Amino acid sequence: MLGMNAQQLKEELGQAGFENVLINDGEDSLKILFEYREFRQPAHSMRYASLVLGREMEEANNVTYIPQYHNVPMGSYSGGTYQFNALSPQHRDYFRENNQVFKNYRWSFRLQPEIVSRFGYYEDPFETKFNIILDTRIYLARGLSLQTGITVPVSNNLDNHGMKLRAAPSMLHYFAQPVNSHFISLSAGTFYNDRYGLDLEYRYARLDSPWSFGLAGGVTGFYRLYGLEYYNEPMDDLYAVADVEWRTGIEHTSLKLTAGQFLYEDKGVRLDLIKQFAAAELGLFAARTENGTTGGFQFAFALFPGKILRGKKMELRTTEEFRWEYTYNNESPVAQQFRIGMPRLADLLRNYNEAWINKLIN
C-alpha cells in the first residue's frame, strides 16, 4: 500500500490538519475519506492529501479520495484522473460503520469579518458596519452541527446596532445527501441580516453534469441584539424561490436564474453570471422584482492566513469563505436572501463539480 499502512496514512493526514480521516484498504484499492475545513476548494484538499502522503499518491489509479463536508461524504474522485463517481452502497456502509463524530474532529475556532456598506448619501457618502466574528461549529451527529460564537463590533456608522459585544448568529444545521445527487440543508436559529427562523434548501446536482436545480424556502422574522438585550418581531416573513444553474463550458462560468418570492414578500427574478477562479469566485447579477430593479456584484474567497494555531484537539483559523455582495439599489431590498452560517447549496456544490476539480488539479 504505497509504503505505509492504514494507521500511518491516518496519522500523516491528521498531523497535516485533516479531520475524520478513514482509510478503507481493500485488496486492489485504497479509499481515503477525510474532511479539511481550511480550504474552500475540495480540489486543493485532495491535492494537499496527495502531497502529504507522497507524490506517488497523485498518480496512483488505485487510490480514491472521498472528501466530506460537515461530516457528509460528497462523492468519490479517482486518483490520477480525478474522475467523479457517485457514492456506492459500500462507501455509505463503510462510512456509517466507522464514522465517529465526537472523536474525529478538532474544536475549531474561526475568525471572519462581517461588513455591511451603503454608498451615496450626501451627508455621509460611505456608511459601513464592520464586525469581527469568532465562532465555532460543534458536530452533534452525522450531518448535524451547532454553530455559535461572539460578535466584536469594530466600527459602525450605518445603523443603531451599537458597539456592545454580543452573540454571533447561532443556529442548528442539518446537511445531508440521502440519495446520490440529492442534497438538503436545514437551518434553525438566528441568521445574518438580522433574521431568525427556519431555512430549508433542496438541490439536485449531479457533480459530473453542467446542470443543477434548486428549491429554497423558509419563514423568518426580524431580531436585534444590543449586548444582552434582545428584541424580535413575529416570524411571519415567508420566502420561496426556485433556480436552475448551467455551467456554460466557457472559462468556467455559470449562469443561474432564480425566481419566486424573496425576502419581504418581494416577487421577481434574478440572473447571476458566476466566474470561478482557483482562489476566488466573482459574480455579476441583475434583478427585477416588485420592489424595483437592481444589479451588482459579489465575490467569495478564503481569508489569509488560514491556520493560525493548531493542536491535536483545537485549532484557530481564518474563515474558509468570506462572501460579500454589493447592490446599487440601497433603498429597497430587491431580490434579497439572507446569509446562513454555511454556503448556500449552489455555491457549495459548484466547487465539487468534476469539470472544476479537473481544472484545478490537472
Side-chain angles (χ1 to χ4, degrees):
M1 192 174 59
L2 303 180
M4 285 189 280
N5 61 36
Q7 186 59 34
Q8 289 174 318
L9 290 171
K10 187 172 182 178
E11 290 176 357
E12 288 283 337
L13 290 171
Q15 291 173 4
F18 291 81
E19 299 175 285
N20 206 29
V21 178
L22 303 173
I23 306 295
N24 186 0
D25 180 22
E27 295 182 359
D28 57 355
S29 65
L30 175 65
K31 299 175 181 64
I32 304 175
L33 297 86
F34 65 84
E35 187 162 343
Y36 194 81
R37 290 189 273 179
E38 186 177 327
F39 296 153
R40 277 187 73 243
Q41 304 287 1
H44 294 161
S45 300
M46 289 185 278
R47 169 61 67 84
Y48 186 36
S50 69
L51 293 176
V52 168
L53 299 178
R55 178 62 66 177
E56 69 268 27
M57 279 288 191
E58 191 166 4
E59 299 178 357
N61 291 322
N62 65 334
V63 175
T64 298
Y65 295 103
I66 303 178
Q68 303 166 48
Y69 185 78
H70 287 191
N71 195 239
V72 174
M74 300 297 288
S76 68
Y77 298 84
S78 303
T81 62
Y82 290 91
Q83 177 182 351
F84 170 80
N85 290 287
L87 295 171
S88 67
Q90 292 77 19
H91 291 150
R92 291 180 178 274
D93 290 343
Y94 179 81
F95 181 77
R96 184 173 57 253
E97 293 169 2
N98 294 276
N99 181 36
Q100 298 182 23
V101 175
F102 299 106
K103 181 179 179 180
N104 292 340
Y105 283 94
R106 295 179 180 85
W107 193 295
S108 179
F109 294 93
R110 182 178 66 164
L111 285 167
Q112 59 179 320
E114 181 187 21
I115 303 172
V116 183
S117 299
R118 183 167 61 199
F119 305 91
Y121 282 92
Y122 181 77
E123 293 89 0
D124 198 351
F126 182 64
E127 296 174 292
T128 185
K129 178 171 63 178
F130 177 44
N131 302 320
I132 296 293
I133 294 177
L134 175 65
D135 65 11
T136 188
R137 182 176 298 277
I138 302 169
Y139 290 98
L140 304 174
R142 180 180 175 184
L144 180 65
S145 61
L146 170 66
Q147 179 178 308
T148 189
I150 58 172
T151 296
V152 182
V154 178
S155 65
N156 183 10
N157 66 335
L158 175 69
D159 57 27
N160 61 353
H161 237 144
M163 297 294 291
K164 292 183 178 179
L165 193 72
R166 57 185 179 271
S170 302
M171 65 221 75
L172 278 170
H173 285 301
Y174 179 67
F175 173 66
Q177 185 185 186
V179 180
N180 286 330
S181 305
H182 296 265
F183 299 86
I184 59 173
S185 172
L186 175 63
S187 305
T190 58
F191 308 124
Y192 294 83
N193 308 88
D194 300 327
R195 311 305 296 177
Y196 80 100
L198 300 172
D199 178 81
L200 175 63
E201 282 190 276
Y202 161 78
R203 193 159 202 87
Y204 174 74
R206 282 187 49 182
L207 300 181
D208 56 356
S209 168
W211 293 94
S212 68
F213 309 88
L215 299 170
V219 56
T220 69
F222 174 84
Y223 88 100
R224 183 63 61 87
L225 275 174
Y226 301 88
L228 297 178
E229 299 177 22
Y230 178 80
Y231 168 79
N232 72 279
E233 295 179 357
M235 193 171 67
D236 57 6
D237 189 357
L238 295 170
Y239 88 96
V241 295
D243 76 82
V244 57
E245 182 170 324
W246 172 52
R247 296 185 67 89
T248 67
I250 303 172
E251 295 298 323
H252 296 282
T253 57
S254 299
L255 285 171
K256 180 184 175 189
L257 180 65
T258 307
Q261 178 167 291
F262 297 89
L263 284 181
Y264 313 112
E265 300 182 352
D266 181 30
K267 299 179 179 67
V269 297
R270 168 171 165 154
L271 180 65
D272 287 80
L273 174 64
I274 302 156
K275 172 77 168 82
Q276 289 177 278
F277 298 91
E281 183 176 282
L282 177 64
L284 303 174
F285 69 89
R288 184 175 181 84
T289 71
E290 294 175 339
N291 281 353
T293 301
T294 192
F297 65 88
Q298 63 171 309
F299 55 79
F301 59 91
L303 287 185
F304 180 83
K307 180 191 72 174
I308 299 173
L309 296 170
R310 178 181 292 149
K312 288 185 177 181
K313 299 297 182 181
M314 189 274 289
E315 72 174 2
L316 174 65
R317 60 184 174 87
T318 53
T319 183
E320 68 278 16
E321 178 173 285
F322 171 66
R323 185 173 291 271
W324 193 78
E325 180 174 293
Y326 170 75
T327 175
Y328 83 80
N329 185 340
N330 290 310
E331 294 295 330
S332 300
V334 176
Q336 189 174 102
Q337 288 182 280
F338 58 86
R339 289 173 53 211
I340 57 176
M342 62 182 286
R344 291 290 181 179
L345 289 183
D347 298 326
L348 167 68
L349 299 175
R350 197 176 298 124
N351 293 327
Y352 284 86
N353 189 273
E354 180 185 69
W356 182 237
I357 296 285
N358 275 273
K359 162 67 177 178
L360 292 184
I361 294 182
N362 301 319

